[in-house]
């Protein structure tokens, strides 16, 4: 245990970090590793690999991912901004590279092979995009003559265009929802809300008619006709698990669920550990999001407020999409459950998101005092 009176980088970090957030992230990572033992062996055997192939890789991914999260949590808000700018530039360049030279998987070009690693740049783009947009919104709020909102709109257009070109409509919807939530918090005029809402609805309709796979999934969801094997087996696994599950390693339906270790790991958890366990898992995500929004509400610094709110919204909305697909509440869409599903890019990128949250929610007494004084002065109140 680190003493309160001890002065040093580690001691300062330990006593200023939001330890509830840290515990939640570690807990979710632990649950994800546990569920990898339940979900991945059947998938590995089905494709001719040794049973614990994905478990071992999951464990291998955890080491750099957790190190990344802890390392980023030491950063100051200024360092977070600079890191996000660099990460965004690199990830956008890699997304553009992927369109022409990337690996095509199921008709989409989202992956870039570097040495022995396959990287999905859009996963790393998401937290960086949130932080950079938060900075642009905050600069516009601080100095209205700075066209921060306009730059944020342009940046969103670039990101959305690259995602649609892959195509990755799920990530486009997620990014749009998070960006729209941040723009709303930044004081978006109601006229803009109507305009952007109309554009979003028009974009969804256009995607339905332009992309056959989108139309197919929406039609399957609305009519229940066609090949619905994935979602049907996921539902069957949830029903088979009942309230308390069939027990660790005793799942039967999980053996035939496609992508059981990634997109449908929630259904595997329901079969082996029960609906009650899944409800607790959902409550953990809900508590994480609500704690982040509560912190953002109390935050006086605009950048910290927008960034923390956007980052927890990203985790929350991605979780909603994954769980919604598993429960047949949303059309089928491949999206991982944050910190739970298998995947090196997804795991590391979510740990980057977690690191940003930990860094921006650290308790810095001197900085908080400066922010309170600046807030009172800018709003015509006497300084404390």
């Amino acid at each position: 245990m680190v003493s309160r009176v001890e002065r040093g980088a580690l001691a300062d970090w330990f006593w200023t970090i939001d330890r509830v957030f840290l515990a939640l992230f570690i807990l979710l990572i632990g649950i994800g590793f546990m569920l990898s033992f339940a979900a991945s062996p059947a998938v590995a055997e089905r494709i001719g690999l040794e049973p614990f192939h994905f478990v071992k890789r999951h464990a291998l991914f955890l080491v750099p991912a957790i190190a990344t999260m802890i390392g980023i949590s030491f950063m100051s808000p200024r360092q977070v901004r600079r890191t996000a700018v660099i990460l965004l530039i690199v990830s956008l360049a890699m997304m553009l590279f992927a369109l022409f030279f990337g690996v095509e998987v199921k008709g989409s070009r989202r992956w870039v092979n570097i040495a022995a690693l396959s990287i999905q740049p859009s996963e790393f783009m998401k937290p960086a995009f949130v932080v950079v947009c938060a900075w642009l919104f905050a600069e516009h709020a601080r100095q209205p003559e700075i066209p921060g909102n306009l730059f944020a709109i342009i940046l969103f257009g670039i990101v959305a265009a690259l995602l649609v070109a892959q195509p990755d409509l799920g990530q486009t919807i997620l990014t749009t929802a998070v960006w729209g939530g941040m723009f709303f918090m930044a004081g978006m005029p109601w006229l803009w809300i109507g305009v952007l809402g109309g554009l979003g609805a028009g974009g969804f309709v256009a995607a339905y008619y332009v992309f056959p796979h989108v139309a197919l999934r929406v039609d399957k969801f609305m009519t229940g006709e066609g090949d619905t094997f994935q979602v049907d087996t996921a539902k069957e696994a949830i029903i088979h698990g009942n309230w308390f599950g069939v027990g660790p390693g005793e799942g039967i339906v999980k053996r035939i669920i496609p992508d059981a270790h990634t997109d449908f790991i929630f259904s595997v958890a329901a079969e082996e550990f029960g609906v009650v366990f899944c409800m607790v898992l959902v409550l953990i995500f809900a508590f994480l999001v609500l704690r982040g929004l509560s912190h953002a509400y109390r935050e006086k610094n605009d950048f910290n407020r927008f960034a923390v709110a956007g980052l927890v919204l990203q985790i929350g909305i991605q979780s909603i999409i994954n769980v919604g697909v598993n429960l047949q509440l949303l059309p089928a869409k491949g999206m991982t459950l944050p910190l739970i599903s298998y995947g090196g890019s997804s795991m590391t990128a979510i740990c980057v998101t977690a690191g940003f949250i930990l860094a921006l929610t650290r308790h810095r007494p001197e900085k908080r005092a400066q922010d309170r004084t600046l807030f009172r002065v800018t709003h015509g109140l006497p300084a404390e």
Side-chain angles (χ1 to χ4, degrees):
M1 181 63 68
V2 182
S3 171
R4 281 183 180 272
V5 297
E6 183 180 336
R7 304 301 297 177
L10 182 60
D12 287 342
W13 174 84
F14 183 80
W15 292 113
T16 59
I17 202 76
D18 188 320
R19 289 186 292 279
V20 174
F21 264 136
L22 181 62
L24 290 173
F25 291 133
I26 296 297
L27 175 61
L28 288 171
I29 289 171
I31 292 173
F33 185 56
M34 176 190 72
L35 290 177
S36 71
F37 282 91
S40 61
V43 177
E45 291 179 347
R46 198 161 57 235
I47 60 178
L49 300 173
E50 63 99 5
F52 292 102
H53 172 81
F54 291 113
V55 174
K56 293 175 182 177
R57 288 180 63 85
H58 192 111
L60 189 64
F61 293 145
L62 287 183
V63 177
I66 294 176
T68 299
M69 179 180 72
I70 299 300
I72 290 176
S73 69
F74 277 85
M75 293 182 178
S76 67
R78 176 175 293 181
Q79 290 171 326
V80 168
R81 286 197 298 269
R82 291 175 176 175
T83 302
V85 169
I86 295 171
L87 182 60
L88 182 63
I89 293 172
V90 172
S91 58
L92 289 178
M94 291 180 68
M95 287 172 67
L96 184 62
F97 178 86
L99 293 179
F100 298 97
F101 306 104
V103 179
E104 184 173 339
V105 179
K106 297 180 181 179
S108 297
R109 292 187 177 272
R110 307 172 188 173
W111 299 85
V112 175
N113 285 338
I114 299 178
L117 296 176
S118 291
I119 298 174
Q120 188 174 359
S122 59
E123 292 287 352
F124 296 92
M125 173 277 299
K126 292 186 294 185
F129 172 74
V130 168
V131 172
V132 172
C133 283
W135 176 45
L136 292 172
F137 289 141
E139 287 301 300
H140 181 81
R142 187 173 64 89
Q143 301 182 62
E145 65 273 13
I146 296 177
N149 288 1
L150 177 61
F151 289 153
I153 293 173
I154 294 172
L155 180 58
F156 167 72
I158 294 172
V159 167
L162 287 172
L163 288 173
V164 171
Q166 289 182 343
D168 192 340
L169 276 299
Q171 298 282 23
T172 306
I173 292 172
L174 172 61
T175 303
T176 301
V178 174
W179 181 84
M182 293 173 62
F183 203 172
F184 179 80
M185 285 183 273
M188 181 200 311
W190 284 103
L191 176 61
W192 274 105
I193 293 176
V195 171
L196 294 176
L199 289 174
F204 181 79
V205 173
Y208 179 85
Y209 288 103
V210 172
F211 298 104
H213 72 282
V214 174
L216 183 62
R217 289 179 178 179
V218 172
D219 290 342
K220 286 179 184 178
F221 176 74
M222 298 300 294
T223 65
E225 299 176 354
D227 182 10
T228 57
F229 178 76
Q230 280 186 313
V231 291
D232 287 343
T233 50
K235 181 179 70 173
E236 185 180 346
I238 295 172
I239 294 173
H240 186 232
N242 212 319
W243 287 105
F244 300 104
V246 297
E250 299 299 322
I252 298 174
V253 183
K254 71 174 186 181
R255 298 173 185 172
I256 59 173
I257 300 177
D259 302 318
H261 60 322
T262 54
D263 304 338
F264 290 94
I265 197 168
F266 186 82
S267 297
V268 175
E271 182 179 22
E272 297 209 345
F273 298 97
V275 172
V276 172
F277 174 85
C278 289
M279 291 172 65
V280 172
L281 185 59
V282 169
L283 287 175
I284 293 173
F285 279 109
F287 179 73
L288 190 155
V289 174
L290 290 175
R291 184 174 180 83
L293 293 178
S294 175
H295 181 94
Y297 179 77
R298 298 191 306 270
E299 180 63 61
K300 299 297 187 294
N301 182 283
D302 285 334
F303 166 68
N304 285 11
R305 179 165 66 249
F306 298 151
V308 171
L311 291 167
V312 296
L313 278 177
Q314 177 196 317
I315 293 175
I317 296 173
Q318 183 169 335
S319 304
I320 290 172
I321 294 174
N322 178 277
V323 174
V325 169
N326 277 258
L327 298 177
Q328 291 190 337
L329 298 176
L330 294 172
K333 175 66 193 84
M335 189 165 291
T336 58
L337 188 59
L339 298 176
I340 303 294
S341 298
Y342 168 85
S345 292
S346 175
M347 176 67 68
T348 306
I350 292 294
C351 281
V352 170
T353 304
F356 284 159
I357 293 172
L358 291 171
L360 295 172
T361 56
R362 285 180 62 186
H363 179 66
R364 297 179 174 89
E366 301 84 0
K367 184 65 170 62
R368 297 291 190 268
Q370 293 174 6
D371 291 341
R372 284 196 298 269
T373 300
L374 178 61
F375 178 82
R376 294 178 68 85
V377 170
T378 55
H379 288 77
L381 301 173
E384 295 178 337

